[in-house]
Amino acid sequence: IQRRKKARRLEQPDTQPRRYRILRILLGLFFFLLLIVSLLPLGSGVVNIGVAVPAAAAVCGLFGCVCTGRLRGILTYIGKRKGLRIAMGILLGIVGVLLILFLAVSGLMLAGAARPAPENATVIVLGAGLHDGKPSRMLADRLNAAARYLEANPESVCIVSGGQGPDEPWPEAQAMKAYLLEKGVPEERIREESASTSTYENIQFSKRIIEEENLSRTVVIATQEFHQFRAQSFARRAGFTEAGPCTCRTPLHLLLCYWVREFAAICHMALLGY
């Protein structure tokens, strides 16, 4: 009987590989491209959770596309053991919830960056690291956006906010002010906040300067699009009258990793408040 069943299986046309071959190829190409995009930030010295998570997902997807038979064997093995089935169900449920949450939070991030900026507000420029004592590319983009806003809004003043990192020769705020001065922004329109080490502290310490000097409590945040929602949330929590974006774009090869990292940071903010 077993021989006859095996013979019948061999005689039947193997339609499944033909049916799904194109889909496997397309998915394999997608995961391969995802892996390449995920690893691009390494060329700029960027290593964070936003690199690790997409890269791990891409590797798992490639394994499923290339080693279909082995994956089927693993799933069969799991299916025969109740404990493993339950663990797999829980894992898939967590992944599904995270994907839905990621899409929802991404919508909030896009909305935060797309909001209209109020006029003649106080500009808060968030620090983003120094390279050889000068603003990094992302920080320079934020400063350029702030300079454009100040030019278009002559009643505005600017707070450059950033402390000194362990590998930085001086506080970021000092280098940020020097950069704006080179761009032609008058010194009397720039305030320095050089003690902060996080986005939360950027906003809180800048608030002290605004209150001490009686500056406008309507603020715009100069930062990248992925960062706007969280920065504006901190500003509203700090009690500012209105918080809007002064947005600059993230370099494309860094967008995915910073977007994923920011999702993790927003979840941290929602759970712990900072």
Side-chain angles (χ1 to χ4, degrees):
I1 293 174
Q2 293 295 332
R3 289 198 190 110
R4 283 198 293 270
K5 287 182 178 179
K6 184 176 181 180
R8 280 198 296 270
R9 284 199 301 268
L10 292 173
E11 291 171 1
Q12 291 176 350
D14 193 4
T15 58
Q16 184 169 336
R18 287 197 295 270
R19 184 182 304 171
Y20 294 107
R21 187 177 295 117
I22 294 177
L23 179 60
R24 285 174 54 197
I25 291 173
L26 292 176
L27 284 174
L29 287 173
F30 168 78
F31 286 118
F32 177 75
L33 291 175
L34 177 60
L35 181 61
I36 296 300
V37 172
S38 300
L39 297 178
L40 284 176
L42 296 178
S44 300
V46 177
V47 181
N48 56 40
I49 190 174
V51 175
V53 171
V59 169
C60 291
L62 280 173
F63 174 80
C65 293
V66 175
C67 305
T68 308
R70 184 169 295 182
L71 177 62
R72 191 181 297 119
I74 293 172
L75 293 176
T76 301
Y77 178 82
I78 292 174
K80 292 178 180 178
R81 287 157 177 80
K82 184 177 179 180
L84 291 178
R85 287 201 309 271
I86 294 173
M88 178 62 73
I90 293 173
L91 178 61
L92 291 177
I94 292 173
V95 171
V97 169
L98 286 175
L99 285 174
I100 294 171
L101 187 60
F102 179 77
L103 293 175
V105 170
S106 293
L108 294 175
M109 291 163 67
L110 290 170
R115 293 181 65 239
E119 296 181 353
N120 293 310
T122 301
V123 186
I124 300 176
V125 189
L126 305 183
L130 304 179
H131 287 164
D132 297 325
K134 295 183 178 180
S136 63
R137 175 180 175 181
M138 293 185 69
L139 181 52
D141 289 342
R142 297 178 185 186
L143 293 165
N144 290 334
R148 289 191 295 269
Y149 183 90
L150 291 169
E151 184 177 3
N153 295 270
E155 296 180 20
S156 293
V157 297
C158 171
I159 300 174
V160 289
S161 177
Q164 184 174 356
D167 58 345
E168 295 173 340
W170 40 71
E172 292 176 13
Q174 181 178 331
M176 294 160 74
K177 179 177 180 180
Y179 186 94
L180 288 177
L181 291 174
E182 290 180 1
K183 287 288 180 180
V185 177
E187 186 172 6
E188 60 269 18
R189 299 183 70 186
I190 305 173
R191 309 292 190 275
E192 287 186 65
E193 184 287 298
S194 57
S196 56
T197 60
S198 66
T199 302
Y200 176 79
E201 291 183 352
N202 287 145
I203 301 301
Q204 291 295 326
F205 297 170
S206 295
K207 178 186 176 183
R208 296 176 189 172
I209 296 175
I210 289 172
E211 291 175 342
E212 289 170 0
E213 301 198 19
N214 198 28
L215 303 176
S216 172
R217 294 183 63 85
T218 298
V219 300
V220 293
I221 315 295
T223 188
Q224 275 73 21
E225 68 286 285
F226 69 83
H227 202 191
Q228 284 291 348
F229 172 75
R230 185 160 59 102
Q232 292 174 37
S233 297
F234 283 140
R236 283 189 287 272
R237 288 185 186 182
F240 288 112
T241 305
E242 185 178 356
C246 178
T247 301
C248 56
R249 295 185 178 226
T250 307
L252 283 177
H253 70 289
L254 299 176
L255 182 59
L256 176 62
C257 80
Y258 278 113
W259 200 274
V260 173
R261 192 186 75 161
E262 187 66 14
F263 166 71
I266 290 172
C267 291
H268 182 277
M269 177 187 71
L271 291 173
L272 301 180
Y274 62 92

